[in-house]
Amino acid sequence: MRLRSLLFVPGDRPDRMEKALGLGADALILDLEDSVALARKTEARKAVASFLGSAVRRARLFVRINALDSGLLEDDLAAVLDARPDALMLPKAEGSGSVEALAALAPGVPILPIATETPSAIFQLGSYAAVRHRLVGLTWGAEDLPAAIGAVSARNPDGSYTNPYELVRSLTLFAGHAIGAAVIDTVYPDFRDLEGLQRHAERARRDGFTGMMAIHPTQVPIINASFTPTPDEVAKARAIVDAFADNPDSGVLQLDGRMIDAPHLRQAQRILNADAADRSGPATGTPKSRF
Ligand code: COA
Ligand code: MG
């Protein structure tokens, strides 16, 4: 099963965790970081550990821990590791060194770095190849980086990203694909604006992101649909694959009056693989075998 939608649930809201399991998200991100106030971290750790221990794993269960230098991470890990989260999301990651540091504290647990939350992190985006085997994928954020550099906003008045954040988004996209990892687009915070979300998610898929994070239940079906190939796309992809199978010695063919060659075949195979993965149903097995 792929990671199309990943729904955040604040770690101090166990009522919402149970609800979140039934929403069709491919993964839940149980948050111990920014959505939990300092005074409630202990309570959140307990709630997350207890949920991990008891939940029927209809979705993969990730935990967003606090950053390496937060002074909170050791207690986060002590609370949740025994309950076997499917992955740890690492905020404020700064390249392979951060992943290695976390892996030393949490051996064997897959890691999903948020790879663009500090200025230095941007210059480490090319370093993740060294720790590829530990990664679930890469994702990025558009909230912490502007705060870190004193930018007024990451967005133009019409909601689109300003140039610096478009750059960061694109760099994450290529950094992920450079190592053959899943690339997860960041959240769309305006959760009442479902049309805006749909445009955002469709643009993400168009550009090559493989999934997207959500913050609210209503966002999940829209994200899932946006990252699921339509029957029409699957039929076209099958026609391309079939055309090349019927003409094994041809590098270039025509289909319905349009030229197709190697990149079209690669793209078609990618769509068929995604379709096959979507049909294979909920994840089973050990975390290692799932990524
Ligand atoms: N997971 C599961 N259920 C959620 C949810 C979530 N992330 N967000 C909302 N819900 C549920 C509510 O419990 C409510 O359920 P009910 O109808 O059975 O009572 C329903 O969805 C409607 O909620 P709504 O009133 O629209 O939202 P809200 O104002 O209570 O909460 C947020 C809005 C943004 C605070 C909330 O969606 C949230 O906490 N999202 C996650 C934030 C987060 O983790 N951020 C960190 C990463 S950016
Ligand atoms: Mg943050």
Side-chain angles (χ1 to χ4, degrees):
M1 196 171 87
R2 296 187 300 136
L3 277 176
R4 299 164 304 175
S5 55
L6 301 87
L7 174 63
F8 272 108
V9 190
D12 57 350
R13 298 299 304 266
D15 52 323
R16 295 194 167 190
M17 293 177 200
E18 201 55 57
K19 216 177 277 175
L21 261 188
L23 295 171
D26 293 327
L28 305 187
I29 306 168
L30 309 170
D31 189 23
L32 295 176
E33 201 218 11
D34 286 346
S35 72
V36 178
L38 198 53
R40 291 173 65 91
K41 297 283 186 194
T42 306
E43 187 185 331
R45 289 180 190 120
K46 281 191 195 139
V48 167
S50 154
F51 182 71
L52 285 170
S54 64
V56 178
R57 300 220 176 178
R58 284 187 282 167
R60 277 172 275 177
L61 301 181
F62 295 2
V63 176
R64 180 164 76 170
I65 50 178
N66 288 279
L68 284 165
D69 64 358
S70 63
L72 299 165
L73 175 66
E74 289 71 14
D75 287 345
D76 291 347
L77 294 177
V80 303
L81 281 187
D82 283 350
R84 300 186 59 83
D86 291 312
L88 295 172
M89 171 178 256
L90 178 63
K92 282 96 181 168
E94 295 182 331
S96 59
S98 301
V99 172
E100 275 160 5
L102 177 57
L105 299 171
V109 187
I111 296 170
L112 176 55
I114 312 182
T116 68
E117 292 195 313
T118 71
S120 326
I122 309 308
F123 298 95
Q124 297 297 326
L125 277 167
S127 72
Y128 285 101
V131 292
R132 168 69 185 95
H133 58 294
R134 300 199 182 281
L135 301 181
V136 173
L138 288 183
T139 188
W140 74 290
E143 315 298 329
D144 284 83
L145 185 57
I149 67 171
V152 173
S153 171
R155 291 179 181 80
N156 295 305
D158 69 358
S160 61
Y161 294 119
T162 59
N163 285 343
Y165 301 94
E166 276 296 334
L167 172 74
V168 162
R169 175 181 182 272
S170 301
L171 287 173
T172 309
L173 179 66
F174 291 117
H177 283 290
I179 58 170
V183 201
I184 311 296
D185 202 0
T186 195
V187 297
Y188 188 79
D190 190 357
F191 63 88
R192 303 272 182 234
D193 175 13
L194 297 181
E195 280 177 19
L197 169 73
Q198 178 146 3
R199 279 195 301 276
H200 193 95
E202 282 173 0
R203 175 173 177 257
R205 176 168 182 243
R206 180 201 70 190
D207 289 348
F209 284 91
T210 57
M212 182 175 167
M213 299 186 286
I215 52 165
H216 192 274
T218 53
Q219 295 187 324
V220 171
I222 294 173
I223 292 174
N224 282 348
S226 297
F227 286 94
T228 302
T230 63
D232 187 46
E233 285 169 331
V234 173
K236 281 189 179 135
R238 201 172 302 286
I240 291 172
V241 169
D242 288 349
F244 280 103
D246 291 344
N247 298 279
D249 295 330
S250 299
V252 62
L253 296 168
Q254 72 85 22
L255 191 69
D256 301 329
R258 302 187 78 151
M259 184 202 79
I260 52 171
D261 64 359
H264 301 95
L265 178 59
R266 263 203 302 282
Q267 181 66 359
Q269 279 161 338
R270 200 186 270 273
I271 288 171
L272 294 186
N273 287 344
D275 180 56
D278 291 342
R279 285 166 197 282
S280 71
T284 53
T286 63
K288 242 187 193 160
S289 71
R290 294 181 201 171
F291 303 114

